[in-house]
């Protein structure tokens, strides 16, 4: 008779850039209330359902993978979230925003209304809790907000501002509004600015990353 | 769903005391002392390094030496028309206020020197001691000549001898006595009535909460048979006199460098433990593009009814789904409908 293993895995966490920013704001927004899991780095093509040693070894190559340390950039980690879905789900939810990439001229605006495909039996749906949108460099947009979700948290998030260097900004809504910056000095000698827009379904966890380019209007 | 709300019981805050070496080279005992040729205004203090700053540009001061005198003697007045208002007077007033909290109460080193007119200050660099000095690791050797007995004295605090803590305006305070590792020696110098103490009182005050070591100048000035090292401050009213006084204590440290200066730091690290409880029915599917096609279909049909994921990362979020902290596992943790997991995430502040 042996003992059951009742130990837990212990890991050290680091603050993300956003975490440090919110800690510095000291406005109560640095408050951990929920968690999520991801399988960043995992390459499921290493999964081998034909392994000669049987099903216990299908994931042998994946389990042998040495894992990198955590990155503090919140836009570069937790990319592929794990989802809780009913057993037997044949197709996983994916987001469709209608754009593979976004290019805006200085001062131009765009409204994005994401949809979720394959979620809870529906071919296409708008998630009730809306979508979280994170712009990697908030400076490239003059306005960036979400509409359609009227919770206190969403409204506070949509109205928050951090001045300074290239910090990310996250908003919540069913429609995300973007207006490109009109500030010329950000461009320096370049003709365009680039960043990424990450949209995540708040119910499904599905995520899509879209490159964003702001082109300078030569005056 | 990809987020799970944490319950109040999932959080535990724990404060742990962490001790570590104090000196920049991570040694427990400082045996090499160097000074810089860079002049300090009025020679008010003397920074002491563990490596030679002339040859090592990254050298950092480990501590500073300064001297305070109640009447301002031993240094040049800031303004010749106002005698007495000199760097030594400033130092005296500064530390008297800090320690006693009363401009009318001078430092009391005990019987023989209850109203001390002067003292030396060893001020440990804040980055080194972090939060406070670790009590019983304090050992400081001084010698008035060349490190050979009997001019050599080995000092410590009396933290292991006292039965109750004494507090001043700068937190805990301990007497500096002759001895080692927080305990006084049993030998009694000439004319003294207590082991470890001199006829001029204790050797000083050890203030661990503010990183200060105050040395009783009257005790150090005694001859070897009385427990001192014959170190007397220069009483001239010139800037060079103060430089000479500070250098005098520095040389006393160097003379006894074979015994060195040992001291550790102590820091309280507050950790926030978050218990991440992963139920069997949760997190068995993934949005990882290497598992699903662009339209969301599995590459491996066997995963439809027996999905399997590998957890590598735990993200901690606020109500707005903003990622505040992140932790990585050392190896992928397999997850399916038959497995549950408990991950304890430690977040230090």
């Amino acid at each position: 008779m042996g003992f059951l293993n009742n130990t837990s895995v212990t890991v050290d966490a680091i603050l993300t850039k956003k975490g440090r920013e919110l800690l510095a704001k000291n406005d109560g927004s640095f408050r951990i209330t929920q968690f999520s899991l991801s399988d960043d780095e995992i390459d499921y093509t290493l999964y081998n359902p034909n392994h000669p040693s049987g099903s216990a070894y299908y994931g042998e190559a994946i389990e042998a993978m040495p894992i990198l340390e955590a990155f503090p950039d919140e836009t570069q980690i937790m990319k592929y979230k794990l989802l809780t879905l009913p057993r037997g789900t044949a197709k996983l939810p994916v987001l469709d925003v209608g754009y593979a990439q976004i290019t805006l001229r200085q001062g131009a605006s765009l409204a994005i209304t994401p949809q979720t495909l394959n979620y809870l039996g529906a071919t296409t749906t708008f998630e009730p809790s809306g979508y979280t949108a994170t712009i990697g460099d908030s400076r490239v947009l003059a306005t960036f907000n979400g509409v359609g979700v009227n919770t206190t948290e969403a409204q506070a998030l949509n109205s928050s501002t951090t001045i300074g260097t290239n910090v990310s900004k996250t908003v919540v809504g069913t429609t995300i509004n973007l207006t490109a910056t009109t500030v010329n000095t950000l461009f320096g000698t370049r003709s365009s600015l680039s960043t990424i827009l990450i949209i995540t379904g708040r119910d499904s966890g599905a995520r899509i990353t879209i490159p964003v380019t702001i082109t300078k209007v030569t005056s | 769903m990809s987020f799970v709300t944490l319950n109040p019981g999932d959080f535990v805050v724990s404060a742990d005391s962490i001790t570590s070496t104090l000196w920049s080279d991570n040694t427990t005992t400082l045996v090499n002392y160097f000074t810089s040729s860079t002049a300090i205004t009025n020679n008010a203090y003397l920074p002491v390094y563990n490596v030679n700053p002339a040859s090592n540009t990254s050298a950092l001061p480990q501590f500073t030496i300064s001297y305070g005198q109640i009447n301002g003697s031993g240094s040049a007045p800031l303004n010749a028309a106002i005698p007495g208002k000199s760097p030594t007077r400033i130092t005296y007033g500064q530390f008297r206020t800090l320690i006693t909290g009363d401009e009318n109460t001078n430092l009391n080193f005990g019987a023989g020197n209850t109203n001390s007119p002067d003292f030396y200050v060893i001020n440990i660099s804040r980055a080194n001691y972090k939060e406070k000095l670790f009590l019983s690791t304090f050992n400081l050797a001084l010698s008035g000549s060349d490190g050979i007995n009997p001019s050599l004295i080995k000092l410590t605090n009396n933290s292991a001898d006292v039965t109750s803590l004494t507090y001043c305006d700068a937190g805990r305070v301990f007497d500096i006595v002759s001895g080692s590792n927080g305990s006084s020696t049993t030998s009694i110098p000439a004319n003294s009535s207590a082991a470890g103490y001199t006829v001029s009182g204790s050797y000083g005050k050890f203030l661990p909460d503010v990183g200060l070591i105050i040395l009783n100048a009257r005790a150090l000035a005694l001859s070897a048979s009385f427990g001192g090292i014959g170190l007397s401050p220069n009483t001239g009213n010139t800037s060079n006199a103060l430089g000479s006084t500070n250098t005098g204590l520095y040389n006393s440290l160097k003379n006894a460098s074979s015994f060195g200066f040992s001291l550790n730091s102590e820091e309280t690290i507050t950790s926030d433990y978050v218990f991440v409880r992963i139920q069997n029915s949760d997190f068995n599917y993934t949005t990882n593009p290497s598992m699903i096609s662009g339209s969301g279909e599995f590459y491996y049909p066997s995963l439809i009814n027996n999905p399997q994921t590998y957890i590598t990362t735990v993200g901690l979020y606020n109500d707005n789904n903003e990622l505040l902290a992140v932790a990585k596992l050392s190896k992928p943790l397999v997850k399916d409908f038959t497995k549950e997991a408990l991950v304890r995430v430690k977040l230090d502040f």
Side-chain angles (χ1 to χ4, degrees):
Chain A
M1 176 175 173
F3 291 103
L4 292 173
N5 181 359
N6 64 350
T7 58
S8 61
V9 178
T10 301
V11 290
D12 287 332
I14 61 166
L15 296 185
T16 60
K17 283 198 304 181
K18 176 59 70 176
R20 291 199 296 264
E21 176 196 336
L22 297 185
L23 193 60
K25 278 188 173 177
N26 195 29
D27 62 356
S29 54
F30 185 92
R31 183 166 171 267
I32 294 168
T33 58
Q34 51 185 348
F35 74 90
S36 187
L37 305 173
S38 81
D39 57 4
D40 292 2
E41 299 176 52
I42 296 295
D43 176 4
Y44 284 97
T45 62
L46 296 170
Y47 188 77
N48 182 9
N50 301 314
H51 196 289
S53 299
S55 57
Y57 292 86
Y58 288 177
E60 180 185 39
I62 294 174
E63 289 166 41
M65 182 182 291
I67 301 296
L68 297 175
E69 290 183 296
F71 312 129
D73 187 341
E74 66 277 357
T75 63
Q76 299 304 324
I77 200 161
M78 295 296 295
K79 291 165 95 171
Y80 308 125
K81 288 194 180 67
L82 302 187
L83 307 176
T84 298
L85 294 169
R87 191 167 194 167
T89 299
K91 293 180 81 173
L92 292 181
V94 292
L95 294 190
D96 177 16
V97 297
Y99 300 95
Q101 63 178 42
I102 295 170
T103 302
L104 292 173
R105 289 161 58 87
Q106 266 184 289
S109 298
L110 179 69
I112 297 172
T113 304
Q115 297 180 83
T116 306
L117 314 181
N118 317 325
Y119 185 52
L120 297 179
T123 306
T124 302
T125 190
F126 297 102
E127 296 188 21
S129 300
Y131 297 85
T132 298
T134 301
I135 189 80
D137 182 351
S138 62
R139 298 175 305 170
V140 305
L141 297 178
T143 59
F144 179 57
N145 57 45
V147 295
V149 176
N150 297 318
T151 62
T152 306
E153 294 82 10
Q155 290 174 348
L157 195 62
N158 292 344
S159 61
S160 74
T161 303
T162 297
I163 58 172
T165 186
N166 58 332
V167 292
S168 66
K169 179 175 169 63
T170 299
V171 298
V172 170
T174 53
T175 296
I176 310 301
N177 296 311
L178 301 80
T179 302
T181 182
T182 55
V183 178
N184 283 327
T185 51
L186 281 174
F187 290 83
T189 58
R190 291 170 292 176
S191 60
S192 66
L193 297 172
S194 298
T195 186
I196 54 169
L197 176 67
I198 301 165
I199 299 177
T200 307
R202 286 169 59 98
D203 296 314
S204 70
R207 164 188 161 125
I208 190 170
T209 301
I210 307 164
V212 176
T213 303
I214 311 298
T215 55
K216 187 176 184 181
V217 177
T218 307
S219 56
Chain B
M1 295 289 286
S2 57
F3 293 95
V4 171
T5 302
L6 293 159
N7 298 313
D10 294 331
F11 295 92
V12 172
V13 177
S14 171
D16 298 307
S17 181
I18 307 294
T19 62
S20 61
T21 55
L22 186 135
W23 311 118
S24 294
D25 54 4
N26 289 326
T27 56
T28 54
T29 304
L30 189 63
V31 293
N32 294 310
Y33 304 101
F34 298 91
T35 56
S36 169
S37 58
T38 304
I40 301 295
T41 306
N42 300 322
N43 286 323
Y45 57 91
L46 178 68
V48 179
Y49 300 77
N50 62 331
V51 292
N52 190 347
S55 57
N56 187 333
T57 54
S58 61
L60 294 170
Q62 304 299 294
F63 59 87
T64 61
I65 292 172
S66 53
Y67 172 75
Q69 213 284 335
I70 192 168
N71 297 317
S73 71
S75 60
L78 299 178
N79 185 326
I82 309 173
K85 295 295 184 286
S86 68
T88 54
R89 174 64 183 84
I90 293 169
T91 297
Y92 192 93
Q94 177 183 14
F95 288 96
R96 177 176 61 183
T97 303
L98 185 70
I99 295 166
T100 69
D102 181 356
E103 74 280 10
N104 297 312
T105 303
N106 297 334
L107 262 63
N108 178 354
F109 292 109
N113 192 8
T114 56
N115 189 24
S116 181
D118 61 351
F119 49 76
Y120 294 96
V121 180
I122 294 178
N123 188 359
I124 308 292
S125 294
R126 213 295 304 167
N128 285 37
Y129 76 81
K130 297 182 178 72
E131 185 181 315
K132 52 196 169 189
L133 303 176
F134 190 49
L135 290 178
S136 59
T137 58
F138 172 54
N139 290 292
L140 172 66
L142 298 172
S143 174
S145 56
D146 59 2
I148 300 170
N149 287 326
S151 65
L152 176 74
I153 55 172
K154 295 178 183 176
L155 305 178
T156 187
N157 55 49
N158 65 344
S159 58
D161 296 334
V162 296
T163 54
S164 61
L165 293 178
T166 303
Y167 288 85
C168 66
D169 253 39
R172 294 171 297 166
V173 58
F174 299 88
D175 283 348
I176 295 175
V177 296
S178 174
S180 62
N181 299 327
S183 293
S184 166
T185 180
T186 55
S187 64
I188 302 175
N191 291 358
S192 175
S193 57
Y197 290 77
T198 72
V199 67
S200 294
S202 72
Y203 287 93
K205 301 284 185 190
F206 185 80
L207 302 154
D209 299 328
V210 291
L212 288 178
I213 296 164
I214 309 293
L215 293 175
N216 178 358
R218 301 299 96 203
L220 298 184
L222 296 169
S223 63
S225 60
F226 289 90
I229 54 172
L231 175 67
S232 295
N234 188 325
T235 57
N237 290 330
T238 65
S239 175
N240 285 341
L242 181 52
S244 161
T245 298
N246 290 336
T247 303
L249 182 59
Y250 169 74
N251 287 334
S252 298
L253 284 159
K254 285 199 76 168
N255 291 339
S257 62
S258 59
F259 298 96
F261 184 1
S262 63
L263 192 53
N264 281 2
S265 67
E266 185 178 4
E267 183 178 25
T268 301
I269 301 287
T270 302
S271 301
D272 195 355
Y273 290 98
V274 183
F275 289 89
V276 171
R277 303 173 204 276
I278 307 161
Q279 305 284 330
N280 63 79
S281 59
D282 293 345
F283 298 111
N284 295 317
Y285 292 89
T286 177
T287 55
N288 191 310
S290 67
M291 181 183 268
I292 56 173
S293 66
S295 60
E297 293 174 331
F298 285 102
Y299 286 132
Y300 304 107
S302 63
L303 293 176
I304 293 175
N305 287 314
N306 294 301
Q308 191 163 298
T309 56
Y310 291 88
I311 303 166
T312 62
T313 315
V314 180
L316 303 175
Y317 293 79
N318 63 8
D319 280 334
N320 297 331
N321 292 1
E322 292 174 297
L323 181 59
L324 304 180
V326 67
K328 294 291 286 282
L329 275 60
S330 60
K331 58 179 287 192
L333 182 66
V334 65
K335 179 72 185 70
D336 58 35
F337 274 101
T338 66
K339 293 184 175 68
E340 296 200 340
L342 172 60
V343 180
R344 189 176 71 157
V345 180
K346 181 167 177 261
L347 192 55
D348 290 338
F349 290 95

